[in-house]
Amino acid sequence: MTSTDLTGPGDPADTPADAPRPAESDRDAAPQYVLPLVVRIERDAPPARTDALETAARAVLVLLADESATGDGEWAAAVRDWQDARIRKVVRRARGAEWRRAEALPGITVHGTDAEVRVFPPVPLDGWPKDLARLQVSGTHLDDPQEPGAPAPGGVVLWLNPELDMSAGKAMAQAGHGAQLAWWELTPAERASWREAGFPLSVRSAAPHQWERLVHDGLPMVRDAGFTEIAPGSCTVVADHPALRARLEPSAGGC
């Protein structure tokens, strides 16, 4: 799986969605942090790809909403420092004893249908805990045994760019980015409602004609910095949240 970086402004999770955000130059100059995620992939029972993507996206949201990451929480300073710089996420894989060691570190495990993803407080780029640094980033391939069904009508959907070929880890990080962009744009009441519902969401690959519309709808869109796998500036995910769609006007922008 792969490291990735999100372009675009950051917004601390416990501030209003319309709060001032760091300028691009300030974000580049700030100390750089990364959000570690570890997916459990046992040799004989790997999770389905879509299940892993959706679980990773929810894991990011769970961390952003957790009391440890907001206000005076024990992770709040690290989360603020991370969001004031480039929004990097790295997805690593673990099984057996590796997974048990990862679970012993401070973090939150989020369960999907079969997938398990543990998210950890942000760490400096060169300051990974030993038991996480030794985990593999690349070399994992996940499939969907069956084609995922249509997302629930009116639900939150993270739409993937159908023209990009991303590894499972890259796609998990991108789904997490999309969920985070949606979270930033919601009002406190909308965030609370989503959290109370358990952060329901779907991750799906858009049809080509659908993607062409999505990138011009004015919804939150992830542009990758291009450090790994895909070209800089590639649009990877559009976050289609009903609350955002209801109030955003179509823009003249696009990818």
Side-chain angles (χ1 to χ4, degrees), residues 33-218:
Y33 285 74
V34 61
L35 186 76
L37 298 106
V38 175
V39 56
R40 183 178 185 180
I41 303 181
E42 298 294 342
R43 192 185 307 274
D44 297 329
R49 181 184 175 95
T50 296
D51 188 17
L53 268 58
E54 292 173 347
T55 305
R58 282 196 299 273
V60 172
L61 293 166
V62 167
L63 179 127
L64 291 173
D66 192 85
E67 61 183 10
S68 296
T70 60
D72 296 324
E74 61 180 317
W75 302 339
V79 170
R80 285 193 294 269
D81 288 344
W82 168 60
Q83 293 191 125
D84 283 346
R86 291 291 174 181
I87 311 300
R88 299 173 187 260
K89 299 178 181 71
V90 171
V91 180
R92 296 177 183 260
R93 57 185 170 92
R95 63 171 181 258
E98 296 172 332
W99 175 257
R100 292 191 290 274
R101 285 193 293 268
E103 279 208 304
L105 298 174
I108 304 170
T109 298
V110 177
H111 298 264
T113 301
D114 294 308
E116 294 179 68
V117 175
R118 190 163 179 84
V119 60
F120 302 86
V123 298
L125 284 178
D126 58 355
W128 282 71
K130 180 177 64 176
D131 285 332
L132 298 184
R134 66 177 58 172
L135 298 176
Q136 293 294 313
V137 177
S138 61
T140 297
H141 179 74
L142 297 177
D143 290 314
D144 281 313
Q146 298 178 340
E147 187 72 20
V156 180
V157 186
L158 304 175
W159 294 106
L160 302 176
N161 185 338
E163 298 178 356
L164 298 178
D165 183 16
M166 295 185 284
S167 68
K170 182 75 171 181
M172 290 172 69
Q174 298 299 310
H177 287 338
Q180 188 169 0
L181 287 183
W183 178 256
W184 283 344
E185 297 299 329
L186 295 173
T187 66
E190 290 164 347
R191 291 178 179 182
S193 178
W194 199 11
R195 178 183 182 181
E196 289 166 5
F199 294 121
L201 58 85
S202 300
V203 178
R204 296 291 186 273
S205 183
H209 68 280
Q210 181 185 24
W211 181 254
E212 289 300 317
R213 294 198 305 270
L214 285 165
V215 297
H216 292 92
D217 277 350

Side-chain angles (χ1 to χ4, degrees), residues 3-23:
S3 169
T4 189
D5 177 45
L6 171 64
T7 61
D11 181 20
D14 56 344
T15 60
D18 58 353
R21 297 174 176 178

